[in-house]
Amino acid sequence: MWCHCRMVYLPMCYVYGKRFVGRITPIILELRNELFKVPYSEVDWDSARNLCAKEDLYYPHPLIQDILWATLHKFVEPVMMHWPGNKLREKSLNHVMQHVHYEDENTRYICIGPVNKVLNMLACWIEDPNSEAFKLHIPRIYDYLWVAEDGMKMQGYNGSQLWDTAFAVQAIAATDLIEEFAPTLKLAHDFIKNSQVVDDCPGDLSYWYRHISKGAWPFSTADHGWPISDCTAEGLKASLLLSKISPEIVGESVEVNRLYDAVNCLMSWMNENGGFATYELQRSYAWLEAYQPCRDIRRYCD
């Protein structure tokens, strides 16, 4: 139910439900030869579904999970391929694309992370290769790409700009070097003010499964826009520290009502057990962990 997981499942289920297959090119054929130990046409996909290198198997599947996946694959999936199941699937996939577009539009086509960014872009292309949505996706690929010493990389986020800036401000404020770093602090202050989310996502938030965001700070940029509790706390702390410094040095302080909005967001993230959520309040139960196919993803993100 966590946003990083469900936002990957969302476009993935669309691609799978559409049974999309890309054009088979010479590069695709070369990749198949490189990636598979046996000829692609001889792969036993039923047994391959549960194959995993022991080094990567952090959490072996419980029996109940294997039973559930096998049931879905052997009995439910055939029903969804023929009438009337395929009509239900078609309606469901149209609903899925509404949520894909909502995520795209509310993150300026950056999406919450690089995996769902690529899959959302693919889903938009499958829906309509000439769509405005697909065209808007293309330039935002570069938000995730950077060239390292050993080649092209894709980041796990579109950066950590707000997070880094807030800590840099706190570090400088803890010293007696404020005047020496005056230009840096002013630029940082402007960035923090410009990075705060000033509105909630449009529409009925419960329909779109979204939490309030007005007053929060993201991990990276305002364009990304997903509100995060610890980033909001650090953005608020940095803003309060900067408000104690002369406006002649760092510029005008964040407006008081925007500070109140940030506090409101922070308090809204408190779960019933007293802990604070990352992006959204707790939405599920501990027993669902038995059905959780993405624990390695969550472990990585944590």
Side-chain angles (χ1 to χ4, degrees), residues 4 103 106-114 140 143-144 155-167 187-188 190-197 216-232 234-235 279:
H4 272 284
E103 159 73 349
N106 281 286
T107 60
R108 280 68 171 177
Y109 294 84
I110 294 173
C111 301
I112 197 172
R140 306 243 59 167
D143 288 72
Y144 288 104
Q155 302 178 137
Y157 228 79
N158 71 312
S160 55
Q161 294 90 320
L162 183 279
W163 184 251
D164 296 339
T165 303
F167 280 124
L187 288 171
D190 288 342
F191 179 76
I192 289 172
K193 287 187 285 188
N194 292 334
S195 298
Q196 189 178 18
V197 181
W217 271 278
F219 184 57
S220 54
T221 61
D223 273 3
H224 182 277
W226 272 88
I228 309 175
S229 56
D230 54 357
C231 300
T232 300
E234 301 301 345
Y279 292 81

Side-chain angles (χ1 to χ4, degrees), residues 211-281:
H211 194 75
I212 63 171
S213 51
K214 183 180 179 181
W217 271 278
F219 184 57
S220 54
T221 61
D223 273 3
H224 182 277
W226 272 88
I228 309 175
S229 56
D230 54 357
C231 300
T232 300
E234 301 301 345
L236 176 61
K237 184 177 181 180
S239 298
L240 292 172
L241 289 170
L242 288 162
S243 71
K244 297 180 179 180
I245 302 173
S246 170
E248 295 180 359
I249 297 176
V250 299
E252 294 298 322
S253 301
V254 176
E255 296 171 9
V256 173
N257 64 310
R258 288 173 60 174
L259 298 177
Y260 290 157
D261 289 337
V263 173
N264 180 59
C265 260
L266 282 172
M267 298 310 297
S268 75
W269 275 305
M270 181 182 286
N271 285 307
E272 292 182 0
N273 64 1
F276 283 81
T278 50
Y279 292 81
E280 303 156 329
L281 293 174

